[in-house]
């Protein structure tokens, strides 16, 4: 039996309709959620991502602003922009698009953003609150992954989830969020010995290693839910995931495509965080 394909775009559309309703309710109370994105340099992928975020804001009714800065901007100048946005009551969410030029410390910029406006969910305060189970703005991709799993109807509690990749953006946070859902989580990475022995045990397999086509059908437990977070451009120019889609769809119960799987969910969770930040700041 072939897997059911989890099209993130369709699921994201359903969630955005709900978010639009939440924004309309906030506006009735005089609150207009606002997101400001700071984009440094002319990286084509970053510009594409930012355009997608602006379209998402427009779709649900969030006021959005993009601040474009040349790659020559100094770290001090960029931090000053962040501090000004922290103090602006009309800005509820601040996102500095990564990656940044080499002369600017991403750590310094992330820590400069007010934790209450950190809609990426990367500030140490939000990461710490997530780890200990307190309310916080959650990392968008990781939160989107968990939402995709929930949309399958699977009960996460008690399931064995295997996460491949230990990045601060996906691997680590998704492992904590799955634990909060009472899954038993195994984390694997580039130093894991005999990786297939772990992946074949997974009821839920999250692949976020950034290595094209590393997971085939023999690496997957029949009936597993497989979420492919990888985005890799191969020699032909085609975008592919970390999973061999055509193979794995024959053994998995659910599978995300690349592109069109996790990506749309990431932006949707960003919109959700912006609305939550606006609601929290208005209290």
């Amino acid at each position: 039996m072939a897997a059911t394909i989890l099209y993130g775009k369709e699921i994201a559309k359903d969630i955005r309709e709900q978010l639009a309703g939440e924004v309309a309710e906030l506006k009735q109370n005089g609150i207009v959620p606002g997101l400001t994105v700071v984009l440094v340099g002319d990286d084509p992928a970053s510009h594409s991502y930012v355009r997608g975020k602006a379209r998402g804001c427009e779709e649900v009714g969030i006021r959005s602003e993009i601040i474009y800065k040349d790659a020559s901007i100094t770290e001090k100048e960029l931090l000053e922009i962040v501090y000004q946005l922290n103090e602006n009551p009309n800005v509820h969410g601040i996102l500095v698009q990564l990656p940044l030029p080499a002369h600017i410390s991403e750590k310094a910029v992330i820590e400069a953003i007010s934790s209450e406006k950190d809609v990426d969910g990367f500030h140490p305060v939000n990461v710490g609150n997530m780890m200990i189970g307190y309310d916080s703005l959650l990392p968008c991709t990781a939160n989107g992954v968990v939402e995709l799993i929930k949309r399958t109807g699977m009960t996460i509690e008690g399931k064995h989830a295997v996460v491949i990749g230990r990045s601060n953006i996906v691997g680590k946070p998704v492992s904590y969020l799955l634990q909060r859902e009472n899954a038993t989580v195994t984390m694997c990475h580039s130093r894991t010995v005999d990786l297939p022995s772990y992946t074949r045990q997974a009821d839920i397999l999250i692949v976020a290693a950034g290595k094209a086509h590393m997971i085939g059908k023999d690496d997957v437990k029949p009936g597993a839910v497989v979420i492919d977070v990888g985005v890799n451009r191969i020699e032909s120019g085609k975008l592919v995931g970390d999973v061999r889609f055509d193979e794995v769809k024959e053994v998995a119960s659910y599978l995300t495509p690349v592109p069109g799987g996790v990506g749309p969910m990431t932006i949707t969770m960003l919109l959700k965080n912006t609305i939550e930040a606006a609601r929290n700041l208005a209290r």
Side-chain angles (χ1 to χ4, degrees):
M1 182 181 295
T4 298
I5 308 306
L6 286 170
Y7 291 104
K9 187 174 182 180
E10 294 177 1
I11 296 171
K13 182 180 178 182
D14 290 341
I15 297 172
R16 291 185 189 191
E17 288 177 358
Q18 176 186 333
L19 295 179
E22 294 181 21
V23 171
E25 185 177 335
L26 285 171
K27 287 181 176 179
Q28 288 178 353
N29 294 311
I31 304 165
V32 182
L35 171 67
T36 297
V37 177
V38 183
L39 178 56
V40 179
D42 55 4
D43 177 68
S46 292
H47 277 260
S48 177
Y49 294 148
V50 168
R51 285 194 298 270
K53 290 163 184 174
R55 287 194 299 268
C57 286
E58 183 179 3
E59 185 179 341
V60 303
I62 292 172
R63 182 189 58 78
S64 69
E65 174 191 21
I66 303 173
I67 298 175
Y68 295 96
K69 290 296 174 181
D70 190 82
S72 62
I73 189 173
T74 67
E75 181 176 304
K76 182 179 179 181
E77 289 170 335
L78 180 57
L79 291 176
E80 185 56 37
I81 292 171
V82 170
Y83 297 144
Q84 291 174 4
L85 294 173
N86 284 341
E87 297 301 319
N88 188 335
N90 296 317
V91 175
H92 304 103
I94 303 169
L95 187 153
V96 179
Q97 182 67 43
L98 303 179
L100 291 169
H103 66 278
I104 298 176
S105 165
E106 291 185 0
K107 178 176 182 291
V109 173
I110 290 169
E111 291 181 354
I113 298 171
S114 165
S115 61
E116 295 176 309
K117 298 186 178 186
D118 164 44
V119 288
D120 253 341
F122 294 159
H123 192 284
V125 169
N126 285 324
V127 173
N129 282 334
M130 175 190 67
M131 288 178 62
I132 58 180
Y134 292 171
D135 288 339
S136 65
L137 298 172
L138 299 173
C140 300
T141 300
N143 198 20
V145 166
V146 174
E147 185 62 34
L148 278 171
I149 297 168
K150 289 180 177 179
R151 292 290 172 132
T152 69
M154 167 185 270
T155 300
I156 298 176
E157 181 173 342
K159 297 298 190 297
H160 184 190
V162 174
V163 179
I164 305 176
R166 51 182 169 177
S167 73
N168 292 331
I169 295 174
V170 183
K172 290 176 183 176
V174 83
S175 72
Y176 286 112
L177 294 181
L178 287 168
Q179 289 176 71
R180 283 171 55 164
E181 298 292 333
N182 297 313
T184 299
V185 180
T186 299
M187 287 197 71
C188 299
H189 44 77
S190 60
R191 301 294 190 272
T192 298
V193 177
D194 192 11
L195 179 64
S197 69
Y198 295 97
T199 61
R200 286 194 290 259
Q201 298 178 44
D203 303 305
I204 302 167
L205 180 60
I206 314 294
V207 192
K211 185 176 179 181
H213 292 157
M214 68 177 290
I215 297 295
K217 65 180 181 180
D218 293 337
D219 303 312
V220 176
K221 177 181 179 179
V225 173
V226 180
I227 309 294
D228 188 354
V229 189
V231 180
N232 312 281
R233 193 173 295 279
I234 57 178
E235 288 184 7
S236 66
K238 182 180 179 182
L239 287 178
V240 300
D242 292 355
V243 173
R244 291 175 222 151
F245 183 86
D246 290 338
E247 283 187 24
V248 172
K249 73 179 182 181
E250 300 302 323
V251 294
S253 59
Y254 290 88
L255 174 63
T256 57
V258 175
V262 174
M265 295 297 293
T266 298
I267 294 178
T268 300
M269 294 300 107
L270 171 68
L271 304 176
K272 182 177 180 180
N273 276 351
T274 302
I275 295 165
E276 183 177 343
R279 190 180 288 118
N280 291 339
L281 287 164
R283 289 173 181 164

